[in-house]
Structure formats: structure tokens, C-alpha cells
Amino acid sequence: MEAYDLAIIGAGPAGLAAGIYGARAKLRTLIIEKAAVGGQAFTTRELVNYPGYPDSTGPELMKTMAEHAQNFGAEIIRDQVLDLELSDSRKVIQTKKGSRYEAKSVILAVGAQPRMLKIPGEGKFRGMGVSYCATCDAEFYDGLDVVVVGNGDAAIEEAMYITKFARRVRVIVIHDEGIVDCNRYSAEKAFKNEKIEFIWNSVLSEIKGNDEVESVVVKNLKTETFSELPTDGVFIYVGTVPGTDFIRGKVSLDSRGYIIANEQMETSVDGVFAAGDARVKPLRQVVTAANDGAIAAVTAERYLDEEEDFNQQILDFKGTVMLAFWSPADEESISLLSKLERLTEVTENTIKLVKIDVSRKQRIAKKFNVVQTQTVHLLKSGKIIRDITGDIRNEEHLHNILREMN
């Protein structure tokens, strides 16, 4: 089994940015992508809001990012991950081609796909008039007419954004007149917007055109009649689908299947991180995905350094370890360290003092359920054998405990 320091699942902008940072940090880095390198960004025909690249395309930028990662030493392979074993310190990845990889840390950059209507013309005109991202594409419809499908928060808020550019925005709503699923504030703003026209009790049934979108066919659900409307573009907002089915039950997901991770991109599993569109976040763009990937890789590097240090200082030590949690902001905890250093001298170094700064090593503090400084444990083989927090203020009593342990 090939062994890596860091394995990244997904080669979209999040995975590639993580690969750049991971490989540059001299971690042996593997990126696994089941489809085209670049992910959803690879399908974007024009990319005008990525900082520093105002005239780029999705494929061009993704090719550059992939080459950047590879130049630092990251390996990129085409394969599909079928299963992950994440509970141990060594993570195991099983792929469709039958390969197994071992990694000390994993970044889940599996992305999310727009939920498709699966109607005629949708796939054909994707990127050629059919869009799922107003922030990406609205400006291409300056002075033109567009159709928006959906009535949730994303659909209505994006429809209002599109009105900054488009001449007219028709919103196709499945409900009766006046009923939308978005928040009331956005609904009231949209109803007052002179550029927005609502088409009620209707669904989109077909998208037509030659090289680009030219019209749509709309079905009225009450009358069962069809009407064809000319339009220059179609924006579809009926939800997104994160690519997390294969990790369900392995890391914490929200009710919609998105990965729950903190600002350091840490998931519910030690050594497993999330980045990009598949995690719970307010904005899904190439630039935010790249940001996530950079943070995830740096956090993974720190995790690996902490694990190596923890193993060397604690797990590999044959005797008893005194684990003292302190903080530079807590003067009493600093004084306590001096006292503990004096006391361990009487043990002739058979009891080893290890100091943990809780402000820098929060993950280790969490591992031992430490919520405050001036907490002291005695350990053997990484396991707590005695909590001496309550004894640390009585130096004579603590002295006797250490002699007994010795």
C-alpha cells in the first residue's frame, strides 16, 4: 500500500490549492480525482472574478493550478474513491480501480454539483446560456433577458443580483401567485423590483436554441398548457448536491449532506479536514474554495507536526509522563511549570514533564478533555493513570505522589 503524509480527495480549486500548500510544505501529497481535473470550475467558460486573472477561463486556471501543485511534487491520479477508513491514525483509501492508499491525514475536497432539472436542452446548453451561478455569469447578460428557475433564498436573491445587469428577469415559480419559499424580506424586495416578473404555477420543461440558448418552454401546472418564451439565458436554482454519499456516517454532515467543519477546516474526525463546496459555508466560488484548500493543508501540516511530537514525547516514552496544560496568558500556570520542573528532578527523570500550551495546541487539549489551564495528568503509554490537578497546589503532597509513582 502506497503511504502518503496527505491525501486529498478531489482536484477542484480546493483540492489543487491544498495540493500546492501541502507539497510545498514537503508533505508527500496525493490528489485523487474521479473526473476532469478542475472539478466544476473546469466547466466554466469564462472566469472573470478570480483575483489577478480577469480574462481567464475555468479550464485555463485549473490547468495552471494543477501544474503548480505538480511542480511542488504533488501526485495527481484519476480514480474514484469508493471507501475510506478514517478512525485510525493511518487513514486507508480504497478506489474503484482496486488501489489502496494509506495517509496520515486526509482533506475532503469532493465538491458539490448543482441539482439539475434533467430536462431537454439543459445539459446541451450548460455553459452556453444555462448557468447555476449568478455571481459567475450575470454580467454576461447586460441588457438582455434571462429566466430564473426556483423560489428559495438562493433563487430570489440571485434573481435580484442579476437585475443589476439584465434588462428583464422572469422567475418561474411552481407555487400559486404570491407564494415563494424564500425568506419574507427577500420576497418583498423581489416583488417590488420592476425588472423582475414572476411566472406562477409553472415549471420549465425544455430549453431551446442553436449554438446558445434562444428560448424556453414553460408548462402551466393548472392549465396543462405550454408556452415558449424567448430568452438569452437560464439560471437554475433548485439546490445543490454535495459529493458526500461515500463518507456518510464517517464524518459529521448536516441535514443536506454538507460536511461540518470549523474555520481551521477540521471535521469531526481527527486528521480529516474539509475544503471547498462540499462543506457548510455561505459562499461557493473558486476563490473561496482555494482559500479553504490553503487553510486545510496548513492545518493538516500542523496536525502532523503535533502528532509526531506527541508520539515522540509521550507515546514512545517508556516511563510516566506528567502532562501539564498551561497558557502564556495565565501567570499562575507559568509559575506552576517552574514548580513541576523542580519536583520532577526528584524522580531522576523517570517521570517526564511535557508542557502543553493550550492556546497553540487546542487539539491535544481537546483529546484529554482539558477546558482550563493548570490541569495536570500522569500518563503511561498515552493513557491517563492519575489526574493530579487537585494536588498541584500542595507541593509536599505532590512530591509524595511523584515518589510513589517513581
Side-chain angles (χ1 to χ4, degrees), residues 13-302:
L16 293 174
I20 291 169
Y21 276 75
R24 186 171 182 270
K26 302 300 182 185
L27 302 179
R28 190 180 185 207
T29 301
L30 173 68
I31 305 174
I32 305 174
E33 171 57 55
K34 68 179 180 180
V37 172
Q40 190 178 327
F42 185 81
T43 67
T44 304
R45 59 176 175 176
E46 294 184 74
L47 193 66
V48 297
N49 58 357
Y50 190 82
Y53 293 84
D55 300 313
S56 184
T57 68
E60 287 172 350
L61 182 61
M62 293 302 99
K63 181 175 181 290
T64 301
M65 290 180 69
E67 290 173 349
H68 195 167
Q70 289 172 316
N71 288 340
F72 277 127
E75 298 176 43
I76 301 177
I77 65 169
R78 287 283 297 276
D79 203 347
Q80 181 178 355
V81 176
L82 296 181
D83 196 21
L84 293 166
E85 297 171 21
L86 302 175
S87 56
D88 296 333
S89 58
R90 301 280 178 153
K91 321 302 181 186
V92 178
I93 302 163
Q94 176 71 52
T95 72
K96 188 175 183 178
K97 292 181 180 179
S99 299
R100 286 169 64 86
Y101 302 96
E102 183 182 273
K104 297 176 184 177
S105 61
V106 171
I107 295 176
L108 301 170
V110 295
Q113 295 291 325
R115 191 182 300 278
M116 298 184 70
L117 296 174
K118 298 181 180 178
I119 59 173
E122 182 181 12
K124 175 182 177 181
F125 294 111
R126 182 170 181 172
M128 302 299 291
V130 172
S131 176
Y132 304 85
C133 176
T135 310
C136 309
D137 298 328
E139 65 184 270
F140 301 125
Y141 298 91
D142 194 19
L144 302 177
D145 292 348
V146 303
V147 165
V148 171
V149 182
N151 66 103
D153 286 341
I156 300 305
E157 289 168 9
E158 296 286 74
M160 288 190 289
Y161 177 78
I162 297 168
T163 61
K164 295 179 180 180
F165 306 94
R167 178 180 60 188
R168 178 172 56 178
V169 178
R170 291 187 176 107
V171 181
I172 299 174
V173 183
I174 197 171
H175 304 307
D176 289 337
E177 183 172 349
I179 299 175
V180 289
D181 294 330
C182 72
N183 65 82
R184 199 67 223 164
Y185 175 77
S186 294
E188 289 174 357
K189 283 186 67 177
F191 291 153
K192 294 175 182 177
N193 193 310
E194 294 180 353
K195 284 190 174 184
I196 295 179
E197 173 189 331
F198 288 87
I199 301 176
W200 304 102
N201 302 304
S202 299
V203 294
L204 196 64
S205 62
E206 187 177 358
I207 301 169
K208 292 183 173 183
N210 291 311
D211 295 330
E212 294 189 347
V213 170
E214 296 175 1
S215 67
V216 293
V217 178
V218 178
K219 178 183 180 181
N220 185 291
L221 297 175
K222 287 195 170 182
T223 64
E224 297 285 322
T225 58
F226 294 85
S227 57
E228 186 169 343
L229 303 175
T231 190
D232 300 293
V234 180
F235 288 82
I236 299 172
Y237 298 101
V238 292
T240 55
V241 182
T244 55
D245 283 348
F246 73 105
I247 55 172
R248 194 172 293 277
K250 299 179 186 294
V251 298
S252 293
L253 308 176
D254 73 359
S255 59
R256 298 181 302 157
Y258 289 91
I259 305 168
I260 299 170
N262 61 18
E263 290 185 353
Q264 286 73 46
M265 308 300 147
E266 296 168 316
T267 70
S268 57
V269 177
D270 227 17
V272 180
F273 311 90
D277 289 0
R279 80 176 187 92
V280 177
K281 59 189 299 185
L283 181 64
R284 293 181 171 87
Q285 294 280 284
V286 173
V287 68
T288 62
N291 171 75
D292 285 0
I295 294 172
V298 170
T299 307
E301 180 192 2
R302 291 174 180 166

Side-chain angles (χ1 to χ4, degrees), residues 258-386:
Y258 289 91
I259 305 168
I260 299 170
N262 61 18
E263 290 185 353
Q264 286 73 46
M265 308 300 147
E266 296 168 316
T267 70
S268 57
V269 177
D270 227 17
V272 180
F273 311 90
D277 289 0
R279 80 176 187 92
V280 177
K281 59 189 299 185
L283 181 64
R284 293 181 171 87
Q285 294 280 284
V286 173
V287 68
T288 62
N291 171 75
D292 285 0
I295 294 172
V298 170
T299 307
E301 180 192 2
R302 291 174 180 166
Y303 161 80
L304 294 173
D305 287 344
E306 282 189 9
E307 281 294 289
E308 183 178 0
D309 186 57
F310 183 83
N311 291 340
Q312 288 178 349
Q313 291 202 65
I314 297 174
L315 296 185
D316 296 341
F317 186 67
K318 301 304 180 185
T320 303
V321 173
M322 182 189 295
L323 200 59
F325 295 88
W326 70 288
S327 168
D330 183 350
E331 292 186 8
E332 285 191 41
S333 72
I334 297 172
S335 300
L336 171 64
L337 293 182
S338 299
K339 179 197 294 186
L340 296 177
E341 286 171 351
R342 292 195 306 271
L343 287 170
T344 52
E345 290 177 0
V346 304
T347 68
E348 298 179 352
N349 295 322
T350 57
I351 295 180
K352 179 181 180 181
L353 176 63
V354 176
K355 311 164 194 176
I356 302 295
D357 178 355
V358 296
S359 66
R360 293 179 57 248
K361 298 186 176 181
Q362 297 176 5
R363 192 183 59 81
I364 293 179
K366 183 180 178 181
K367 180 181 287 190
F368 289 96
N369 297 315
V370 172
V371 294
Q372 62 183 20
T373 57
Q374 302 182 49
T375 298
V376 183
H377 295 317
L378 294 177
L379 282 68
K380 272 196 174 179
S381 302
K383 304 293 184 183
I384 298 174
I385 57 173
R386 185 163 184 172

